[in-house]
Amino acid sequence: MCNCDYFCHLINSRTPNNSGRRFFSCKIPKDNGGCGYFTWIDSSLEAELLKQMIKKVEEERDTLKHKLKEIGDKITALKQKSEGN
C-alpha cells in the first residue's frame, strides 16, 4: 500500500535502462494529489508476494467451501422438514 492508503499499481517499466523491470507505484498521479510512492520489485519480493496472494486465495476458497457446505446442509434440512409436513 502507498502512503495514500491505496493498493499500489504494479507496473512494468518501459524505459530503455529498466525495460521490463517491475515496480509498485501510487495509483493516483502525483499532480492529482498522489503521494508519489515508488519501489522496484526484486525477484525474491515478487516470489513472496505471489506466495501471499496464493495463501489469501486458498483461505478465501476454504471459507467459501465451508459456507457452501453450511448452505447445502440447511437446504437438505429444509427439504426434509417440508417433506415431513
Side-chain angles (χ1 to χ4, degrees), residues 6-41:
Y6 292 112
F7 286 104
C8 295
H9 281 174
L10 177 59
I11 301 170
N12 290 326
S13 174
R14 290 185 230 134
T15 63
N17 290 341
N18 293 299
S19 182
R21 193 171 175 196
R22 299 173 75 157
F23 63 93
F24 283 118
S25 72
C26 179
K27 72 178 188 176
I28 302 172
K30 198 169 186 176
D31 57 352
N32 283 349
C35 65
Y37 179 83
F38 170 91
T39 189
W40 291 111
I41 299 176

Side-chain angles (χ1 to χ4, degrees), residues 44-73:
S44 63
L45 175 60
E46 198 166 16
E48 182 59 34
L49 290 171
L50 184 57
K51 286 179 191 176
Q52 290 175 8
M53 289 171 61
I54 289 170
K55 183 179 179 184
K56 188 173 183 175
V57 168
E58 288 173 340
E59 289 171 354
E60 186 174 349
R61 177 204 61 206
D62 292 344
T63 299
L64 291 171
K65 277 183 174 181
H66 180 72
K67 287 181 180 180
L68 183 59
K69 184 183 178 325
E70 286 179 342
I71 291 169
D73 292 345

